[in-house]
Amino acid sequence: MSKRQANPATPRKRASQVSAEPVPERVPRRGRGKAGARRREADFIVIGAGSGGVAAARRAAAHGARVILVERDAVGGTCVNRGCVPKKMLSYGAGLAAILSGCLSHTGAREDWGDAIVRVDAEVARLNVVYTERLQQAGVTLLHGEARLGAPGEVHVGDEILQARRILLATGAAPRRLPVPGGELACSSDDIFTWKSLPASLAVVGGGYIAVEQASILARFGVKVDLLVRGERLLPHFDHDLAAALHDALVAQGIRIHLNAEVTLLAAANGAVEVCYRPRGGTEGGNGNQGSGRTESLRAQAVLAAIGRVAHSDGLGLEALDVRRGTRGGIAVDRQLRTSVRGLYAVGDATDGPQLTPVAIAQGRWLADRLFGRRGDRADFDYIPFAVFCEPAIASVGLSEAAAAEAAGKAERIRTVVKRFVSLENRFGGSEQASLVKLVINARSGRVLGAHMMDGAAPEIIQAFAVALRLGVKEHHLETTVRLHPTVAEELFG
Ligand code: NDP
């Protein structure tokens, strides 16, 4: 969006212009040793003020518990500061740019990175303040410092020893580093939100959520993007038709996607980075890309590694307490979110569960209810809606066709309905980009097992559709529900 088109009634603020009050208590890093340690007691200590930790702390305080929440960085965690919020705002910016560059091409309408980042920073700063205020209103004591588990029931923060019968680890996760020679030359998704200007070209390593979202967003901001995916398709956990449609859409936007490309080396090269890769499973010495082993390379001004996130647990003192790990390296918890140590719980990205903000929040609230209040209703994690905020966005709930066929035992027991259409929004923008709707249905009962969409509106529609799926919606319910026209959602209704 150009500056001229911004709403003049809502002046933009730089992050520094947004009030930073109120300030949490700060605990110095180095302590005076145990003899001089100050002790504080609480009912519940929460380590980590991200989505899960804040939700648990507020809910526990609402039940009357004395809560101390410890955070070493900004309140709000990955979601607010380095994840969902800044990413979604940039994705809006990229989407707006896509529409405007189509229908206002004669004006040269184009999203500007510097302008977009100022708006993102202001919103992140606003949320930091709002989160802090809400915690204080709830009566939660917020300590700023590095937490380490001591003896059971103890947490050390600087020169303080905090004591509580119940302790929650909500420490989140951090980007996994690229494990190849020169891997340190790659940046992570955390870094992108600090960029003041954009590289002209970017090699993105990974084929999951972050790789696809950032490749799509940054390409819309004018960066020349190469996406290096070691697998044979994008987003392997999504339905194959959806992933294939998205692949084609991204290629049509100029993103160069290299499948089966295993990155083996990064090397600095005259202010750029040389990225060496070879076909996955190939051996040295062959030729051609598919199935051979010849190493190829490309050069980009920057490299983004988006190859998963690992639970934050270094320096927490988990080993001394013998806290068990899960198969993927996160903290192992049972259905009650209990770790292997009595009185110690974990939620969110710090565990091996789905690394999603709403899951962490649901877990945090449920745990606080169970520990300090009534027994809360557990969220239904069988019907988690998923979205990738690329352009066009994709969203899913329920089973993919492949997963449904596997669960049913035979592919014939599953039926699918697939529709491709160009939305009015795209037509208005002069784009031929097709949207996609796919329903996976139990052929015998007519029950809808999965819904998958690609369209800018897909995440909003799938969120609402998740309720229908949970309640067992059947195809005839969709056919006999009056559609709202003209919408993209109506395409789901037969
Ligand atoms: P993902 O797990 O989504 O994807 C990781 C990708 O990196 C896969 O394609 C994987 O390939 C590849 N990979 C792993 N190791 C290597 C390697 N050594 N070399 C090359 N490629 C590699 O991780 P992300 O980092 O994208 O995101 C982390 C998590 O954050 C997600 O799982 C999601 O839960 C959450 N998230 C959710 C978002 C949303 O809800 N919209 C947005 C952003 C993040 P392979 O499949 O072969 O293992």
Side-chain angles (χ1 to χ4, degrees), residues 241-242 244-250 252-253 391-394 418-424 426-427 430-437 453-456 488:
D241 279 328
L242 200 60
L246 179 65
H247 180 122
D248 292 347
L250 296 179
Q253 289 165 29
E391 202 281 307
I394 63 168
V418 180
K419 290 189 198 172
R420 291 183 169 83
F421 55 96
V422 179
S423 68
L424 278 184
N426 280 345
R427 294 235 180 258
S431 162
E432 290 296 314
Q433 173 61 58
S435 298
L436 179 129
V437 164
M453 290 187 72
M454 180 174 81
D455 184 87
V488 168

Side-chain angles (χ1 to χ4, degrees), residues 87 179 205 207-210 213 230 306-309 355-356 387 389:
K87 180 276 307 292
V205 186
Y209 282 84
I210 295 177
E213 288 182 342
R230 73 175 179 181
I307 58 167
R309 296 172 60 82
Q355 294 180 321
L356 297 169
F389 295 100

Side-chain angles (χ1 to χ4, degrees), residues 265-343:
L265 173 81
L266 303 187
N270 290 333
V273 184
E274 185 89 14
V275 182
C276 297
Y277 60 98
R278 65 172 176 229
R280 195 169 190 200
T283 50
E284 292 289 351
N287 50 37
N289 192 17
Q290 298 294 319
S292 77
R294 197 178 72 179
T295 297
E296 303 193 22
S297 71
L298 59 86
R299 221 172 245 216
Q301 272 199 348
V303 178
L304 167 66
I307 58 167
R309 296 172 60 82
V310 281
H312 263 308
S313 54
D314 285 354
L316 264 179
L318 299 185
E319 290 69 26
L321 286 180
D322 213 10
V323 178
R324 210 161 50 77
R325 302 298 186 117
T327 48
R328 291 196 284 132
I331 299 164
V333 288
D334 63 10
R335 265 178 65 79
Q336 316 275 323
L337 302 168
R338 293 178 295 204
T339 70
S340 53
V341 172
R342 196 181 164 82

Side-chain angles (χ1 to χ4, degrees), residues 22 52-53 66 71 85 95 110 123 146 166 168 176 204 269 291 303 344-346 352 401 417 427 429 456 494:
R66 292 168 304 155
E71 170 60 60
V85 171
R110 181 166 213 162
E123 176 60 7
E146 191 93 30
R166 284 138 174 176
L168 172 61
R176 174 176 288 131
V204 180
V303 178
L344 187 64
Y345 304 83
D352 264 359
E401 182 181 347
V417 177
R427 294 235 180 258

